[in-house]
């Protein structure tokens, strides 16, 4: 029997904030009293805490996940000067991910080269990377989408064989691991996002580049501050990609709770997994060796748009991550791709549906969402 109508948001932060309000306010207040807003002890502390959490040597706080990707590429020398008359270098990215992964490649003056995804994990299909490598290829950006690692051993083997850089897009996957190693620890570096809806979310925008390589971390440190080192000397152009102390202070409070929030997300995922067993709802597959952090819980359903509309009527707020594969984005039309080029990415864009998965969902809300999804799918 259906429960009484409820309203379930896709994401809700107020419940979580209420539990940590005093800690967060105290930490932010300390920054206000210090009037030390850029860099400083809070940023240094967060860099150490995140590096330790991710089991890597170095963390460099930056202004967003997007800027983490841009500064990573620039730090690895992937940046086209306005005076460069050579054809652009190429960077391999999955065709199905958040826009920023490919947008950043474009913004440093390189050409995004798309690769289709593995329909099981929604991550880059490593078996399709090699056919896209040319003499201009400089890097691969695998994305650990929705909280689950890409098959990094395969990506790294190809990258090493061809001498390519690897920047991991870990925006959705802080704390995710594959065969015991954390997202961001496989390649040259990893890009984290602290956007409020990510697993570790700040009070606004923020991000971090994590790395096991000191020279990469040092270069990102220089790039995030206009490419300056020593002071007022610029051997290459960077940007203002710095992290605010207020963000770092709040994130230092929140990172202490990250494991427990992850566990709550996993338990919500397990609830859905069993609720949808035997139905037409295709639940996420976490492949052997992976530990997901469930930034999103993505199902595939037939007649997705009808199901989505029905769910919204029932008060269940779902979303489509992502409705358009990147090779079909208007801004990338000059790259010359066509519909049909990446069938799995296009299929994912047509079938995927994100359900509420945030840690503080109540048992009643979870049951209501599951019942409504089953109802909407059966009536679609
Ligand atoms: C959120 C996200 C980004 C960008 O992070 P911002 O902090 O919003 O700039 C990049 N890649 C992926 C996969 C993301 O989900």
């Amino acid at each position: 029997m259906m429960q009484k109508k409820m309203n379930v948001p896709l994401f809700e932060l107020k419940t979580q904030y209420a539990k940590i309000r005093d800690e967060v306010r105290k930490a932010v207040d300390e920054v206000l009293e210090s009037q030390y807003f850029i860099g400083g002890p809070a940023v240094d502390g967060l860099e150490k805490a995140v590096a330790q959490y991710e089991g890597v040597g170095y963390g460099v706080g930056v202004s967003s996940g997007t800027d983490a990707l841009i500064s990573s590429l620039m730090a690895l020398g992937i940046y086209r000067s306005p005076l460069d008359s050579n054809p652009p270098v190429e960077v391999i990215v999955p065709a199905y991910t958040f826009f920023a992964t490919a947008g950043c490649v474009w913004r440093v003056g390189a050409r995004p080269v798309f690769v289709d995804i593995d329909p099981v994990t929604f991550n880059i299909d490593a078996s399709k990377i090699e056919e896209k490598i040319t003499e201009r290829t400089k890097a691969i950006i695998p994305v650990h989408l929705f909280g689950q690692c890409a098959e990094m051993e395969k990506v790294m083997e190809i990258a090493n064989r061809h001498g390519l850089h690897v920047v991991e897009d870990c925006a959705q996957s802080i704390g995710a691991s594959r065969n015991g190693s954390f997202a961001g620890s496989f390649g040259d570096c990893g890009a984290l996002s602290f956007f409020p809806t990510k697993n570790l979310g700040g009070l606004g925008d923020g991000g971090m580049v994590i790395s096991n390589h000191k020279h990469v971390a040092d270069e990102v440190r220089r790039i995030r501050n206009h490419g300056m080192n020593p002071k007022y000397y610029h051997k290459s152009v960077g940007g203002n990609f710095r992290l605010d102390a207020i963000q770092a202070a709040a994130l230092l409070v929140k990172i202490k709770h990250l494991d427990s929030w992850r566990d709550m997300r996993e338990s919500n995922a397990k609830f859905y997994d069993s609720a949808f067993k035997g139905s037409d709802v295709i639940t996420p597959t976490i492949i052997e060796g992976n530990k997901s952090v469930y930034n999103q819980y993505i199902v595939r359903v037939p007649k997705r748009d009808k199901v989505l509309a029905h769910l919204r009527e029932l008060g269940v707020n779902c979303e489509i991550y992502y409705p358009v594969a990147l090779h079909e984005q208007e801004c990338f039309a000059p790259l010359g791709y066509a519909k049909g080029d990446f069938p799995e990415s296009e299929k994912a864009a047509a079938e995927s549906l994100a359900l509420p998965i945030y840690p503080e969902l109540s048992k009643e809300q979870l049951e209501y969402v599951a019942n409504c999804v089953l109802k909407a799918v059966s009536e679609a």
Side-chain angles (χ1 to χ4, degrees):
M1 211 189 69
M2 277 310 280
Q3 297 151 279
K4 186 161 129 275
K5 183 168 175 184
M6 297 175 83
N7 189 54
V8 186
L10 180 68
F11 195 73
E12 195 265 305
L13 282 162
K14 288 182 181 167
T15 313
Q16 183 177 95
Y17 179 60
K19 291 181 190 157
I20 56 172
R21 179 183 285 121
D22 293 346
E23 283 178 279
V24 172
R25 282 193 177 166
K26 182 164 170 285
V28 169
D29 206 43
E30 276 168 23
V31 176
L32 294 179
E33 289 304 321
S34 78
Q35 291 289 300
Y36 201 132
F37 294 121
I38 309 283
V43 172
D44 294 345
L46 184 71
E47 289 176 344
K48 288 200 179 73
V50 171
Q52 191 176 23
Y53 189 84
E54 285 278 309
V56 295
Y58 309 93
V60 184
V62 293
S63 32
S64 69
T66 301
D67 290 342
L69 288 168
I70 289 183
S71 52
S72 294
L73 292 169
M74 292 177 88
L76 296 169
I78 301 173
Y79 171 71
R80 190 170 203 261
S81 144
L83 303 181
D84 193 342
S85 56
N86 298 313
V89 299
E90 297 172 0
V91 177
I92 289 173
V93 295
Y96 181 77
T97 166
F98 179 59
F99 176 76
T101 315
C104 291
V105 173
W106 186 279
R107 285 182 56 201
V108 297
R111 168 185 279 262
V113 173
F114 296 119
V115 168
D116 210 356
I117 55 160
D118 168 359
V120 173
T121 60
F122 296 98
N123 283 326
I124 193 163
D125 184 340
S127 72
K128 294 183 177 149
I129 291 176
E130 207 149 15
E131 63 200 56
K132 295 291 161 62
I133 294 175
T134 72
E135 73 267 13
R136 289 199 297 278
T137 309
K138 287 283 182 246
I140 307 172
I141 309 183
V143 182
H144 309 305
L145 204 63
F146 306 142
Q148 164 166 228
C149 283
E151 291 179 284
M152 288 309 295
E153 68 288 355
K154 296 184 186 169
V155 174
M156 291 311 299
E157 191 275 320
I158 295 165
N160 289 336
R161 199 148 35 78
H162 292 270
L164 304 178
H165 291 299
V166 173
V167 175
E168 298 170 60
D169 185 335
C170 311
Q172 301 184 5
S173 58
I174 186 168
S177 64
R178 175 154 183 79
N179 299 323
S181 297
F182 286 99
S185 70
F186 299 89
D188 294 77
C189 57
L192 293 172
S193 165
F194 303 132
F195 185 79
T197 62
K198 306 296 162 96
N199 283 25
L200 180 61
L203 312 177
D205 282 311
M208 194 171 287
V209 177
I210 53 173
S211 180
N212 270 320
H213 307 283
K214 184 174 186 297
H215 65 279
V216 177
D218 287 344
E219 280 297 88
V220 174
R221 235 171 254 289
R222 184 177 66 79
I223 291 294
R224 78 170 167 185
N225 199 18
H226 295 292
M228 183 163 82
N229 188 33
K231 203 165 189 182
Y232 303 127
Y233 288 80
H234 305 258
K235 81 171 173 186
S236 72
V237 173
N240 173 358
F241 301 131
R242 296 178 301 247
L243 179 64
D244 289 338
I246 284 180
Q247 296 304 336
L251 290 161
L252 261 173
V253 169
K254 293 180 99 179
I255 197 171
K256 289 184 278 178
H257 302 275
L258 192 52
D259 281 335
S260 80
W261 293 333
R262 191 215 80 89
D263 291 348
M264 289 153 86
R265 286 176 180 272
E266 180 170 45
S267 131
N268 295 346
K270 296 279 177 277
F271 177 90
Y272 286 142
D273 285 348
S274 62
F276 297 135
K277 204 159 261 166
S279 76
D280 288 340
V281 180
I282 300 174
T283 55
T285 302
I286 307 303
I287 59 170
E288 178 80 35
N290 273 0
K291 198 161 159 61
S292 176
V293 294
Y294 294 100
N295 179 247
Q296 299 294 343
Y297 187 87
I298 304 293
V299 296
R300 290 180 191 252
V301 292
K303 303 193 191 142
R304 191 266 322 272
D305 293 339
K306 241 178 125 180
V307 170
L308 175 63
H310 193 170
L311 285 169
R312 285 184 175 155
E313 275 166 30
L314 293 168
V316 174
N317 293 285
C318 297
E319 252 308 340
I320 300 171
Y321 296 132
Y322 299 93
V324 184
L326 294 185
H327 65 290
E328 296 191 89
Q329 290 289 353
E330 192 176 343
C331 64
F332 293 137
L335 295 173
Y337 291 101
K339 193 174 182 62
D341 282 350
F342 304 103
E344 291 301 343
S345 298
E346 293 168 30
K347 197 154 173 267
E351 296 180 348
S352 68
L353 187 65
L355 309 187
I357 186 71
Y358 64 90
E360 294 78 17
L361 280 166
S362 70
K363 185 85 195 300
E364 292 70 37
Q365 286 176 311
L366 286 165
E367 279 169 1
Y368 184 71
V369 172
N371 288 338
C372 289
V373 170
L374 289 169
K375 179 180 160 70
V377 168
S378 73
E379 290 173 11

